[in-house]
Amino acid sequence: MTTTTVRLAFASSDRKRVDQHFGSACGLAIYAVNEQQATLLEFAQFGDLEQDGHEDKLTTKLALVRDCAAVYCQAIGGSAIRQLLAVGVQPIRVEENVPVERLLNEAQAALRAGTAPWLPGVRRQRNDDPHRFEAMEAEGWQE
């Protein structure tokens, strides 16, 4: 049996909960996740950043998550969404203060079941929808 391992990123100030906007996140926790385990690979910390649309603040974050299947965050701007999707990273918006451990457990269950939306193939199919940005905006994604 082949084990699928993916990298997942979480916008977090404390590695315990998702509580940050992607663009202005003071920290990103990167995990390697497979069906049986989740291992923290890195916790990158950034200075305090404003949510004012400066594109240069995204450069380091985008480079850091480039090899991730998904990024979990409290909020994310349209420009960051487009840039993440362009490199094959699925942004996932969650409510504030969702425990990272819960999201890791859910990701492992989705990997076991083969239902993770950020698995190769499934992600491509979803991203081919030309109206996906409008749908994200209707769901409450904000700049």
Side-chain angles (χ1 to χ4, degrees), residues 6 8 10 33-35 72 101-113 116 118:
V6 295
L8 301 177
F10 300 87
V33 182
N34 64 35
E35 293 89 342
Y72 292 78
E101 185 175 353
R102 183 177 104 196
L103 296 169
L104 290 169
N105 289 335
E106 290 172 2
Q108 289 176 295
L111 284 169
R112 286 190 291 274
W118 27 257

Side-chain angles (χ1 to χ4, degrees), residues 1-142:
M1 178 173 149
T2 303
T3 300
T4 300
T5 300
V6 295
R7 290 169 50 107
L8 301 177
F10 300 87
S12 176
S13 64
D14 62 5
R15 295 183 291 184
K16 296 181 186 335
R17 58 199 165 91
V18 175
D19 63 348
Q20 301 281 293
H21 184 289
F22 177 74
S24 60
C26 65
L28 286 171
I30 310 291
Y31 283 82
V33 182
N34 64 35
E35 293 89 342
Q36 288 79 37
Q37 66 183 25
T39 305
L40 179 65
L41 299 174
E42 179 176 2
F43 183 63
Q45 293 182 289
F46 309 94
D48 289 333
L49 298 171
E50 298 295 321
Q51 297 178 23
D52 58 6
H54 292 294
E55 294 301 309
D56 57 339
K57 71 182 177 190
L58 293 176
T59 305
T60 302
K61 290 181 178 82
L62 290 166
L64 183 68
V65 302
R66 184 176 202 94
D67 294 329
C68 293
V71 175
Y72 292 78
C73 53
Q74 177 188 331
I76 187 169
S79 176
I81 291 170
R82 287 187 290 279
Q83 292 178 67
L84 287 169
L85 292 174
V87 295
V89 179
Q90 180 66 50
I92 300 175
R93 184 177 164 264
V94 298
E95 296 299 318
E96 186 174 2
N97 295 320
V98 173
V100 170
E101 185 175 353
R102 183 177 104 196
L103 296 169
L104 290 169
N105 289 335
E106 290 172 2
Q108 289 176 295
L111 284 169
R112 286 190 291 274
T115 59
W118 27 257
L119 284 173
V122 176
R123 181 176 59 237
R124 278 196 285 308
Q125 179 183 9
R126 288 176 46 156
N127 289 349
D128 287 342
D129 179 5
H131 304 289
R132 68 185 179 275
F133 296 117
E134 290 87 354
M136 287 176 163
E137 185 176 8
E139 290 176 358
W141 289 79
Q142 50 188 295

